[in-house]
Amino acid sequence: MKKNAWAVWALVGLVAGPVMAQSAASVPPEHRHSAARAERQAERERIHQERQAIAATQKSDETACYRRFAVEDCLRDVRTQARNAELQLRARELRLNDAERKEKAAERLRSIEEKQRMAPDRSQPQGSARGAGRPAPASVEEMRTQHQREAQQRAQQQRTREQSGAENRAQRAEESAQRAAAARARHAENVKAAQERRERVQKMQAEAAAAGRKPTASLPASSGLPPVQP
């Protein structure tokens, strides 16, 4: 298999994240969110195209493996490299999802801040007295910190689930490949054993035929004439 293609996927995965961050940082603040959304959409399209290319490369390399002597080793290498490339794509998707969640949380906080600024101050002494025993509402900064903490926890949980799922899928694929290889080996052994049995039977039949007597020749047919009298 050509390893250059898999090296390209690895290089793209390492470069894509910093490029996105740099492009977002160079945009003015008033247009940063819309530019970030457009960049995320473009990145998702790139990931989709790269995933299709990885699948096509894997299929081509697996086809080439069947023309080699060590088929199973070749297939195992191809699938491992494809799995590693897919994990890099998934990591990029997780970064996109994390950035999107943070942006939505920030937008919600900005909306809350705007509503608080626009709301008139209707506090009255009696209202203050009634609410004296209640806990003070959380500040906007505390709410922002809490939302960010929750978003980070959700992102970490999502990454953990995705990594666990990828590992389980990889393990199942490896076990399936091993079972298929064992089945092919058993089939080859059965074919070989059957061929050996046929050869033994044929040999025994040939030896028995060689040890036995030849069949007697058949008598000539009668000419139809009466027997000669002495």
Side-chain angles (χ1 to χ4, degrees), residues 1-27:
M1 187 199 68
K2 297 180 179 179
K3 296 185 178 180
N4 293 335
W6 301 115
V8 170
W9 307 132
L11 181 61
V12 170
L14 294 175
V15 173
V19 169
M20 287 183 59
Q22 184 177 2
S23 61
S26 61
V27 178

Side-chain angles (χ1 to χ4, degrees), residues 26-85:
S26 61
V27 178
E30 58 271 16
H31 302 296
R32 185 169 299 169
H33 295 296
S34 59
R37 283 192 292 269
E39 180 61 28
R40 284 197 300 270
Q41 181 61 30
E43 173 68 0
R44 292 187 190 278
E45 293 177 358
R46 286 193 295 268
I47 290 174
H48 177 69
Q49 294 175 358
E50 291 172 18
R51 181 170 283 122
Q52 290 181 332
I54 289 172
T57 301
Q58 180 181 359
K59 182 178 180 180
S60 175
D61 290 345
E62 287 180 348
T63 301
C65 284
Y66 288 104
R67 295 192 294 268
R68 297 190 176 186
F69 178 75
V71 176
E72 295 302 326
D73 292 340
C74 180
L75 290 175
R76 189 179 301 108
D77 292 340
V78 169
R79 290 164 183 168
T80 298
Q81 292 176 353
R83 185 165 57 251
N84 292 337

